[in-house]
């Protein structure tokens, strides 16, 4: 996580921040000892995981990759016995204030000499700094930085600074309402059909041409008289786009929007669901389903097209 965009909040009245500042300079761990000496198997696993083929990390004169510095000090699930109460007290104060969530933000390392297999690592940690109260997109809280001095055979080999944000999660905004369709005298019949879970297509009573979207007259012969037929709901993806931008509060991109060719021969635009957005393909068979969204303005029913089971490459959901 980057600290870009972080802004201070109410620094003048930050009584908790003043209490937290008192912990700066207090030890977080004293006399910590690495669980294992620096060893070739750990180095090999690290290099394989990182794809690092530097010859300096293998052979009889091998050194450990400098970026493994923290690996030799980590306590694993059992933890370290050298941890002091001061760090726990600091985190406890933050928890009591509502800053119950934590995220690692960044680390800095200094390398003074390389470690070699057989080196025994010891370390001490100090609470180096506590920021004033900050507001981030995650929520409001405090950045806490610890500095670990790493030694081998009594000599300093490196320093590791680790920064976390302890914060009170920001309240989630209620979901934005979905945009409602514009219903007018020309298309009201279509939306009435949708409300009844029926997909209605206009049909010219003169030449029999089917049309969608709904129009006041026939494009083929100009006749103004029409009736409707109920579509089967089956079709295929004729074309599609995956929406990433612009963001809109009511939707959660990315999601697929398809131009669906119904078996009756007309095409309509709607969301493609039932498979992940990146599995949508031209030609996929789909079938209409009607989704109801409970909104403050009343229930909203929309037709979407779900990929026919067994035709996609995995299950997932699109935006309805």
């Amino acid at each position: 996580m980057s600290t870009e965009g972080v802004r201070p909040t109410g620094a003048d009245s930050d009584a908790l921040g003043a209490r937290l500042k008192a912990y700066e300079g207090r030890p977080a761990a004293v006399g910590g000892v690495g669980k294992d000496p620096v060893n070739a198997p750990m180095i090999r696993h690290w290099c394989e995981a990182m794809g690092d083929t530097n010859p300096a990390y293998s052979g009889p004169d091998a050194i450990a990759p400098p970026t493994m510095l923290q690996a030799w000090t980590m306590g694993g699930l059992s933890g370290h016995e050298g941890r002091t109460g001061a760090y726990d007290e600091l985190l406890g104060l933050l928890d009591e204030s509502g800053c119950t969530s934590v995220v690692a933000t960044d680390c800095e390392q200094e390398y003074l000499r390389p470690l070699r297999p057989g080196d025994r690592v010891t370390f001490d940690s100090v609470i180096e700094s506590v920021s004033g109260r900050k507001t981030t997109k995650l929520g409001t809280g405090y950045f806490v930085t610890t500095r670990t001095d790493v030694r081998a055979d009594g000599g300093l080999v490196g320093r590791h600074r680790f920064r976390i944000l302890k914060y009170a999660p920001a309240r989630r905004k209620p979901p934005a309402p979905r945009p409602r369709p514009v219903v007018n005298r020309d298309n009201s019949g279509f939306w009435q059909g949708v409300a009844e879970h029926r997909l209605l297509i206009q049909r010219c009573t003169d030449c029999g041409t089917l049309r969608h979207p709904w129009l006041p007259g026939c494009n083929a012969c100009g006749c103004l008289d029409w009736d409707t037929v109920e579509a089967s709901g089956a079709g295929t993806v004729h074309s599609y786009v995956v929406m990433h931008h612009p963001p809109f509060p009511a939707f959660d991109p990315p999601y697929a929007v398809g131009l669906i060719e119904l078996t009756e021969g007309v095409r309509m635009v709607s969301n493609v669901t039932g498979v992940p957005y990146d599995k949508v393909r031209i030609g996929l068979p789909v079938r209409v389903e009607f989704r109801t969204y409970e909104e403050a303005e009343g229930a909203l029913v929309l037709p979407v097209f779900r990929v026919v089971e067994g035709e996609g490459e995995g299950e997932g959901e699109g935006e309805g």
Side-chain angles (χ1 to χ4, degrees):
M1 172 184 169
S2 171
T3 57
E4 182 179 353
V6 175
R7 63 180 189 274
T9 306
D12 293 340
S13 59
D14 189 5
L16 174 62
R19 294 178 65 188
L20 299 175
K21 280 284 187 182
Y23 284 85
E24 290 184 346
R26 295 182 63 178
V30 176
V33 178
K35 290 292 180 74
D36 298 286
V38 178
N39 61 85
M42 283 275 285
I43 294 172
R44 176 170 52 82
H45 290 319
W46 175 280
C47 290
E48 288 178 356
M50 296 297 178
D52 193 337
T53 58
N54 192 320
Y57 307 144
S58 60
D61 298 320
I63 62 172
T67 49
M68 286 189 74
L69 185 67
Q70 187 188 20
W72 309 115
T73 66
M74 297 176 74
L77 296 177
S78 59
H80 275 297
E81 297 180 357
R83 184 163 164 171
T84 68
Y87 193 65
D88 291 333
E89 290 174 14
L90 174 65
L91 299 184
L93 281 175
L94 287 163
D95 287 341
E96 291 170 11
S97 73
C99 297
T100 54
S101 296
V102 62
V103 62
T105 63
D106 59 273
C107 67
E108 302 171 7
Q109 293 184 340
E110 301 175 47
Y111 312 119
L112 302 180
R113 82 150 172 89
L115 288 166
R116 293 180 170 82
D119 282 342
R120 282 280 180 180
V121 168
T122 60
F123 60 93
D124 299 290
S125 296
V126 64
I127 302 169
E128 189 169 69
S129 66
V130 183
S131 74
R133 188 167 62 229
K134 308 287 185 180
T135 295
T136 74
K137 288 184 178 180
L138 293 176
T140 298
Y142 300 82
F143 290 93
V144 179
T145 303
T146 54
R147 187 193 74 237
T148 299
D149 293 335
V150 183
R151 295 178 173 81
D153 299 323
L156 189 66
V157 296
R159 290 190 177 91
H160 176 80
R161 286 180 174 83
F162 191 66
R163 186 172 295 110
I164 63 170
L165 171 65
K166 280 281 284 179
Y167 64 97
R171 292 184 179 180
R172 291 186 176 271
K173 295 181 180 179
R178 290 174 177 271
R180 303 184 80 84
V182 176
V183 180
N184 54 40
R185 66 181 182 178
D186 292 328
N187 65 13
S188 59
F190 172 79
W191 290 109
Q192 180 61 41
V194 168
E196 299 168 357
H197 291 200
R198 302 167 64 214
L199 197 60
L200 299 180
I201 304 172
Q202 276 184 315
R203 178 176 58 187
C204 176
T205 56
D206 187 14
C207 67
T209 299
L210 300 179
R211 63 180 185 261
H212 187 86
W214 283 33
L215 297 168
C218 178
N219 281 333
C221 69
C223 178
L224 299 179
D225 296 325
W226 54 270
D227 61 9
T228 63
V229 295
E230 184 173 352
S232 68
T236 57
V237 176
H238 179 77
S239 183
Y240 70 95
V241 295
V242 175
M243 299 298 295
H244 295 269
H245 298 284
F248 189 82
F251 302 107
D252 185 20
Y255 54 93
V257 178
L259 177 62
I260 308 302
E261 181 156 349
L262 300 177
T263 55
E264 290 76 13
V266 299
R267 297 170 184 169
M268 64 183 301
V269 175
S270 188
N271 292 109
V272 180
T273 70
V275 296
Y277 70 90
D278 56 352
K279 300 299 183 184
V280 176
R281 296 291 184 268
I282 291 172
L284 275 180
V286 293
R287 180 169 292 277
V288 73
E289 69 176 22
F290 296 93
R291 290 190 176 182
T292 300
Y293 301 92
E294 298 297 335
E295 305 281 359
E297 301 176 35
L300 174 63
V301 182
L302 295 174
V304 299
F305 287 87
R306 176 173 287 274
V307 173
V308 174
E309 188 174 355
E311 297 294 339
E313 298 181 34
E315 285 301 313
E317 286 300 324
E319 194 60 47

